[in-house]
Amino acid sequence: MPYFEKSEDWLRQSALLLQARPQTTRVTTSYSLRPALRPSKAEKLAAKEARRAKESSKKTPAAAPTEEAPKDAAAATAKPPRGHLVLKTFDPYSGVCLKYKTSKAAEVGRLIQMLGQLGRRMAALPVDEAKESADVVMADAAAAEEGAAAAVSGTATPVAGASTPAPAAGGGGQGKKKKKGKR
Protein backbone atom coordinates (compact mmCIF):
# COMPACT_ATOMS: atom_id res chain seq x y z
CA MET A 1 0.00 0.00 0.00
CA PRO A 2 2.06 2.95 -1.20
CA TYR A 3 1.35 6.45 0.05
CA PHE A 4 0.63 9.33 -2.32
CA GLU A 5 3.13 12.18 -2.20
CA LYS A 6 0.59 14.97 -2.84
CA SER A 7 -2.81 15.40 -1.25
CA GLU A 8 -4.29 16.54 -4.57
CA ASP A 9 -3.38 13.21 -6.18
CA TRP A 10 -4.99 11.25 -3.36
CA LEU A 11 -8.11 13.42 -3.49
CA ARG A 12 -8.49 13.05 -7.26
CA GLN A 13 -7.97 9.28 -7.25
CA SER A 14 -10.31 8.83 -4.28
CA ALA A 15 -13.02 10.84 -6.03
CA LEU A 16 -12.66 8.67 -9.14
CA LEU A 17 -12.80 5.47 -7.08
CA LEU A 18 -15.88 6.68 -5.23
CA GLN A 19 -17.49 7.66 -8.52
CA ALA A 20 -16.87 4.18 -9.91
CA ARG A 21 -17.98 2.21 -6.82
CA PRO A 22 -19.91 4.41 -4.36
CA GLN A 23 -21.61 1.44 -2.64
CA THR A 24 -18.49 -0.47 -1.58
CA THR A 25 -15.70 2.13 -1.32
CA ARG A 26 -14.98 3.55 2.13
CA VAL A 27 -12.86 6.49 3.24
CA THR A 28 -11.27 6.19 6.67
CA THR A 29 -9.14 8.59 8.68
CA SER A 30 -6.83 7.94 11.58
CA TYR A 31 -4.97 10.50 13.64
CA SER A 32 -2.10 9.52 15.89
CA LEU A 33 -0.28 11.73 18.31
CA ARG A 34 3.13 10.43 19.27
CA PRO A 35 4.42 11.52 22.66
CA ALA A 36 7.50 13.70 22.88
CA LEU A 37 10.77 11.90 22.35
CA ARG A 38 12.24 10.29 25.40
CA PRO A 39 15.55 11.65 26.56
CA SER A 40 18.59 9.74 25.37
CA LYS A 41 20.99 7.96 27.70
CA ALA A 42 23.46 10.83 27.40
CA GLU A 43 20.77 13.29 28.51
CA LYS A 44 19.82 11.03 31.42
CA LEU A 45 23.47 10.81 32.53
CA ALA A 46 23.83 14.59 32.28
CA ALA A 47 20.70 15.07 34.40
CA LYS A 48 21.98 12.55 36.94
CA GLU A 49 25.32 14.35 37.16
CA ALA A 50 23.49 17.65 37.54
CA ARG A 51 21.49 16.25 40.47
CA ARG A 52 24.68 14.98 42.09
CA ALA A 53 26.35 18.33 41.58
CA LYS A 54 23.29 20.07 43.02
CA GLU A 55 23.47 17.91 46.13
CA SER A 56 27.15 18.72 46.47
CA SER A 57 26.35 22.41 45.88
CA LYS A 58 24.23 22.41 49.01
CA LYS A 59 27.46 21.80 50.83
CA THR A 60 29.26 24.52 48.84
CA PRO A 61 26.96 27.46 47.93
CA ALA A 62 29.41 28.96 45.37
CA ALA A 63 28.66 26.25 42.74
CA ALA A 64 24.87 26.86 42.62
CA PRO A 65 24.67 29.25 39.60
CA THR A 66 26.44 26.82 37.25
CA GLU A 67 23.88 24.04 37.78
CA GLU A 68 20.95 25.81 36.06
CA ALA A 69 22.46 25.61 32.56
CA PRO A 70 21.96 21.82 32.01
CA LYS A 71 18.26 22.07 32.92
CA ASP A 72 17.70 24.85 30.39
CA ALA A 73 19.62 22.97 27.69
CA ALA A 74 17.59 19.80 28.29
CA ALA A 75 14.32 21.75 28.17
CA ALA A 76 15.34 23.44 24.92
CA THR A 77 16.15 20.14 23.19
CA ALA A 78 12.83 18.50 24.12
CA LYS A 79 10.59 18.39 21.05
CA PRO A 80 6.81 18.83 21.22
CA PRO A 81 4.63 15.85 20.27
CA ARG A 82 3.91 15.46 16.57
CA GLY A 83 0.62 14.22 15.14
CA HIS A 84 0.03 12.38 11.87
CA LEU A 85 -3.17 12.14 9.85
CA VAL A 86 -3.56 9.08 7.62
CA LEU A 87 -6.35 9.06 5.02
CA LYS A 88 -7.25 5.76 3.39
CA THR A 89 -9.70 4.99 0.59
CA PHE A 90 -10.38 1.27 0.22
CA ASP A 91 -12.59 -0.77 -2.11
CA PRO A 92 -12.77 -4.42 -0.98
CA TYR A 93 -14.10 -5.80 -4.28
CA SER A 94 -11.38 -4.38 -6.50
CA GLY A 95 -8.71 -4.45 -3.77
CA VAL A 96 -7.67 -0.84 -4.40
CA CYS A 97 -6.23 1.00 -1.40
CA LEU A 98 -5.21 4.65 -1.66
CA LYS A 99 -3.30 6.19 1.27
CA TYR A 100 -2.02 9.64 2.15
CA LYS A 101 -0.13 10.65 5.30
CA THR A 102 0.61 14.18 6.52
CA SER A 103 1.77 15.97 9.63
CA LYS A 104 1.20 19.55 8.46
CA ALA A 105 -1.45 21.30 10.54
CA ALA A 106 -2.72 23.56 7.74
CA GLU A 107 -3.08 20.63 5.38
CA VAL A 108 -4.95 18.58 7.98
CA GLY A 109 -7.64 21.26 8.24
CA ARG A 110 -7.98 21.53 4.47
CA LEU A 111 -8.22 17.75 4.04
CA ILE A 112 -10.90 17.43 6.70
CA GLN A 113 -12.98 19.97 4.77
CA MET A 114 -12.46 18.02 1.54
CA LEU A 115 -13.74 14.86 3.20
CA GLY A 116 -17.20 16.43 3.08
CA GLN A 117 -17.16 16.34 -0.73
CA LEU A 118 -15.93 12.74 -0.71
CA GLY A 119 -18.65 11.86 1.79
CA ARG A 120 -21.28 13.23 -0.60
CA ARG A 121 -19.93 10.95 -3.31
CA MET A 122 -19.85 8.00 -0.92
CA ALA A 123 -23.50 8.62 0.02
CA ALA A 124 -24.37 8.92 -3.71
CA LEU A 125 -25.67 12.47 -3.18
CA PRO A 126 -25.47 15.05 -5.97
CA VAL A 127 -22.17 16.90 -6.02
CA ASP A 128 -21.83 20.54 -7.13
CA GLU A 129 -19.46 20.25 -10.06
CA ALA A 130 -19.13 24.04 -10.25
CA LYS A 131 -17.50 24.10 -6.81
CA GLU A 132 -15.09 21.30 -7.65
CA SER A 133 -13.88 22.48 -11.05
CA ALA A 134 -10.76 24.58 -10.79
CA ASP A 135 -11.10 26.16 -14.27
CA VAL A 136 -14.01 28.50 -13.66
CA VAL A 137 -14.08 31.53 -15.95
CA MET A 138 -14.77 34.65 -13.91
CA ALA A 139 -16.63 37.61 -15.45
CA ASP A 140 -13.97 40.11 -14.38
CA ALA A 141 -11.20 37.96 -15.82
CA ALA A 142 -12.99 37.74 -19.18
CA ALA A 143 -13.37 41.53 -19.27
CA ALA A 144 -9.70 41.99 -18.43
CA GLU A 145 -8.69 39.62 -21.22
CA GLU A 146 -10.85 41.55 -23.71
CA GLY A 147 -9.32 44.83 -22.52
CA ALA A 148 -5.82 43.48 -22.97
CA ALA A 149 -6.65 42.22 -26.46
CA ALA A 150 -8.16 45.59 -27.36
CA ALA A 151 -5.07 47.43 -26.16
CA VAL A 152 -2.92 45.27 -28.42
CA SER A 153 -5.16 45.68 -31.48
CA GLY A 154 -5.89 49.37 -30.88
CA THR A 155 -9.71 49.03 -30.83
CA ALA A 156 -11.79 48.84 -27.71
CA THR A 157 -15.13 47.10 -27.38
CA PRO A 158 -17.33 48.16 -24.51
CA VAL A 159 -18.20 45.50 -21.93
CA ALA A 160 -21.85 45.24 -20.89
CA GLY A 161 -22.39 46.49 -17.36
CA ALA A 162 -19.05 48.27 -17.18
CA SER A 163 -19.19 52.03 -16.91
CA THR A 164 -16.43 54.51 -17.53
CA PRO A 165 -15.43 56.53 -14.47
CA ALA A 166 -16.58 60.17 -14.42
CA PRO A 167 -13.81 62.78 -14.60
CA ALA A 168 -12.89 64.20 -11.23
CA ALA A 169 -14.17 67.74 -10.54
CA GLY A 170 -11.76 70.48 -9.54
CA GLY A 171 -8.69 69.02 -11.16
CA GLY A 172 -6.21 70.85 -13.41
CA GLY A 173 -6.77 74.39 -12.06
CA GLN A 174 -10.05 74.92 -13.86
CA GLY A 175 -12.19 74.96 -10.69
CA LYS A 176 -12.50 77.61 -7.99
CA LYS A 177 -9.45 78.49 -6.00
CA LYS A 178 -9.37 78.08 -2.26
CA LYS A 179 -9.83 81.33 -0.36
CA LYS A 180 -7.15 82.37 2.03
CA GLY A 181 -8.14 83.19 5.57
CA LYS A 182 -7.79 86.67 7.15
CA ARG A 183 -4.56 87.47 8.85
Side-chain angles (χ1 to χ4, degrees):
M1 285 185 269
Y3 287 94
F4 282 93
E5 291 182 13
K6 295 182 179 179
S7 62
E8 293 83 17
D9 296 338
W10 175 84
L11 192 62
R12 186 178 330 108
Q13 294 298 324
S14 295
L16 291 173
L17 184 60
L18 281 167
Q19 207 170 23
R21 295 183 183 265
Q23 298 296 322
T24 59
T25 304
R26 295 290 168 243
V27 178
T28 58
T29 61
S30 62
Y31 185 77
S32 62
L33 186 63
R34 286 192 283 170
L37 297 176
R38 296 181 182 170
S40 66
K41 288 185 178 182
E43 291 173 351
K44 286 181 183 178
L45 287 174
K48 195 174 192 180
E49 289 176 8
R51 275 187 262 129
R52 286 183 183 167
K54 188 175 182 180
E55 290 174 3
S56 65
S57 69
K58 289 181 182 176
K59 296 175 184 174
T60 58
T66 59
E67 301 304 324
E68 298 300 322
K71 287 183 181 179
D72 294 336
T77 59
K79 294 182 180 179
R82 183 130 193 184
H84 294 282
L85 176 73
V86 178
L87 300 167
K88 183 170 80 168
T89 308
F90 179 66
D91 181 29
Y93 290 107
S94 63
V96 176
C97 185
L98 310 171
K99 286 181 128 184
Y100 179 71
K101 182 177 182 178
T102 185
S103 61
K104 298 176 184 174
E107 195 172 33
V108 167
R110 187 178 63 82
L111 287 170
I112 295 297
Q113 288 179 346
M114 298 312 269
L115 285 175
Q117 290 179 1
L118 288 178
R120 291 185 67 82
R121 289 184 188 268
M122 194 167 27
L125 294 174
V127 179
D128 295 336
E129 295 296 329
K131 288 183 181 177
E132 287 189 5
S133 66
D135 298 332
V136 176
V137 178
M138 303 301 258
D140 295 340
E145 289 176 3
E146 289 177 9
V152 172
S153 66
T155 61
T157 53
V159 177
S163 62
T164 58
Q174 295 174 355
K176 292 184 179 180
K177 291 185 178 182
K178 202 177 209 182
K179 293 184 179 180
K180 292 183 180 179
K182 292 183 181 179
R183 292 186 183 183

